[in-house]
Amino acid sequence: MLPPELLSAHPQDAGVPIERWNALVARVRRDVDDGTLPGATVAIARHGRVAGFATFGNAVQGGESKPVTSDTLFTIFSSTKAVVSAAVWTLIEDGKLSLDERVCDIIPEFGTNGKDVLSVETAFLMIGGFPTAPMGPNQWGTREGRRAAFSRWRLNWEPESKFEYHPSSLHWVLAEIIEERTGQEWRQYVRERILEPIGIGADFYLGLPKPLDFRVADVVHTVPPVPPPGGWGEVTPNAILNFNTPEYRSAGIPGGGGIATAAALAMFYQPLINGGVTADGTRIMKQETIDFCTKPRTKDHHVDMLFGKPINRALGVMVAGNPETMIYRGFGSEASPRAFGHGGAGGQIGWGDPETGISIGYCTHGFAGDEVQRARGREISTLAALCGK
């Protein structure tokens, strides 16, 4: 549970109209009441505190079916990417990393098979051309194993020619850059530089301690699963279920293995949309760093493979952008163009809006199918954005 000082007694205390919070809660509850999902949880934060936190349904936790509570942890899948990316932003702020550096000048093993041309920026934007590069349990546990894998990776297409979502490969590279430039194990660096200063260290994990496994909701498919669309071939139905195992949970896979509560996910964005400062005055990073790292950098020809819309990516996050196309990026229809964040498989939602100060975390352990998840995400994100108006 988050520290009491990060929790508002009532939504209005954090500037969220109660009727709009209630509308959001009703939409989240509906999926559980009608059987679409076995459980779900949502949190809204504003002014550095959680404005509201609601939980519904049940989940298998530690081998037993239990009610979802404020202590229940969820695998947030690719919503993890924003957190690891923010840790890399601090390297830029500290002068330890430049976007125009070649990745191979930081990680020499990366410079094989034509990858020597890739800059940090090109790789960061998922336009580098290695979306399906493999990294398995036999490699990810040691630096030697990871670097040996990097040396074998090949490009799928010419760098910068197009965008293709990199489910996990890019963030293994970012994790390695963190270790190389800080001399610290990457998960510990994220914890000490990002999670603990925000106050969410007890509810957000990259590398779950095994004694806490009992808190995590096991992922389930609520409908017969189908192969993923649009080049996300790594995120298969069976791969999703691997995240129910202690091996995957303890690894803290940087592109998708974060484990958190919805409230912790919402709170992660609060300093990033409030000048880099937490409610108690702790500075996570400078405003100019946040502005620099959340500036969209992809071009119009960098489109997503599902809808054919410009992807509008910054360094590790999506940016809402044009109101006509933001619905394709996971922000609903009412966020400001400056809102940024990253969703996750199964319909996880995490974003913050610097215009309104609203941030949201939404988690579920039920995979209900892509169309259902996309529609739900649009509706929930729209209702969340309205909480700031």
Side-chain angles (χ1 to χ4, degrees):
M1 190 67 178
L2 295 179
E5 61 269 21
L6 298 183
L7 304 173
S8 300
H10 301 285
Q12 302 98 309
D13 295 341
V16 173
I18 188 64
E19 67 275 8
R20 296 197 167 172
W21 166 246
N22 287 341
L24 173 61
V25 168
R27 176 61 189 87
V28 174
R29 179 195 294 270
R30 189 181 84 194
D31 288 321
V32 178
D33 287 349
D34 68 14
T36 300
L37 294 174
T41 177
V42 66
I44 288 287
R46 199 179 198 189
H47 302 322
R49 293 183 293 167
V50 175
F53 190 12
T55 64
F56 304 101
N58 294 276
V60 173
Q61 304 164 62
E64 299 180 44
S65 181
K66 304 174 187 177
V68 173
T69 72
S70 58
D71 285 329
T72 302
L73 297 168
F74 292 80
T75 303
I76 61 171
F77 296 101
S78 285
S79 292
T80 310
K81 288 179 169 67
V83 182
V84 175
S85 297
V88 178
W89 300 353
T90 67
L91 303 185
I92 296 172
E93 175 169 298
D94 294 346
K96 296 179 178 179
L97 182 68
S98 174
L99 292 183
D100 59 8
E101 290 185 78
R102 294 190 306 167
V103 175
C104 68
D105 289 335
I106 306 169
I107 308 169
E109 293 85 350
F110 191 83
T112 57
N113 303 319
K115 302 191 301 296
D116 58 303
V117 300
L118 294 183
S119 68
V120 170
E121 181 176 26
T122 299
F124 219 150
L125 296 175
M126 297 189 183
I127 58 176
F130 55 102
T132 58
M135 179 76 74
N138 292 333
Q139 295 86 43
W140 70 42
T142 66
R143 296 191 75 185
E144 294 76 15
R146 296 192 295 268
R147 291 188 175 220
F150 295 154
S151 71
R152 293 189 294 269
W153 286 2
R154 297 180 179 275
L155 297 178
N156 294 61
W157 33 264
E158 182 182 354
E160 301 188 21
S161 63
K162 68 175 185 176
F163 166 87
E164 186 173 336
Y165 188 68
H166 291 47
S168 67
S169 55
L170 164 63
H171 281 71
W172 283 117
V173 175
L174 296 181
E176 199 69 18
I177 288 174
I178 291 173
E179 295 203 358
E180 183 64 30
R181 288 298 166 87
T182 67
Q184 192 171 1
E185 198 274 335
W186 73 270
R187 293 170 297 184
Q188 192 62 28
Y189 182 82
V190 175
R191 172 161 292 275
E192 293 180 4
R193 186 65 185 260
I194 302 292
L195 302 179
E196 290 179 349
I198 296 175
I200 57 178
D203 288 300
F204 206 127
Y205 295 92
L206 282 162
L208 183 77
K210 290 185 179 180
L212 297 182
D213 192 72
F214 74 96
R215 291 181 58 188
V216 186
D218 283 358
V219 177
V220 296
H221 292 289
T222 64
V223 297
V226 297
W232 294 24
E234 184 180 335
V235 192
T236 65
N238 286 338
I240 292 297
L241 296 181
N242 284 336
F243 286 87
N244 289 337
T245 67
E247 178 184 33
Y248 273 65
R249 289 175 177 173
S250 64
I253 296 169
I259 294 175
T261 65
L265 181 55
M267 282 298 298
F268 158 71
Y269 285 96
Q270 277 298 294
L272 301 183
I273 60 174
N274 286 294
V277 179
T278 66
D280 68 0
T282 300
R283 179 168 292 283
I284 303 300
M285 65 184 78
K286 298 176 182 177
Q287 179 65 61
E288 51 263 41
T289 302
I290 299 168
D291 292 342
F292 178 81
C293 294
T294 59
K295 173 186 174 182
R297 295 169 181 271
T298 48
K299 310 301 183 184
D300 285 346
H301 70 277
H302 295 137
V303 300
D304 69 84
M305 299 179 69
L306 190 59
F307 302 110
K309 304 294 183 181
I311 200 67
N312 215 44
R313 287 192 77 95
L315 299 181
V317 292
M318 303 275 282
V319 182
N322 190 317
E324 295 179 1
T325 52
M326 71 170 62
I327 62 170
Y328 301 105
R329 301 178 184 128
F331 298 93
S333 59
E334 294 292 332
S336 84
R338 294 178 60 205
F340 60 87
H342 210 297
Q348 321 307 315
I349 301 170
W351 54 257
D353 191 337
E355 293 289 337
T356 64
I358 288 287
S359 60
I360 178 174
Y362 168 87
C363 301
T364 181
H365 56 296
F367 275 59
D370 292 325
E371 289 188 14
V372 169
Q373 289 162 187
R374 285 195 292 270
R376 179 179 71 228
R378 288 193 295 269
E379 293 168 10
I380 289 175
S381 285
T382 296
L383 291 168
L386 289 172
C387 287
K389 298 182 177 182

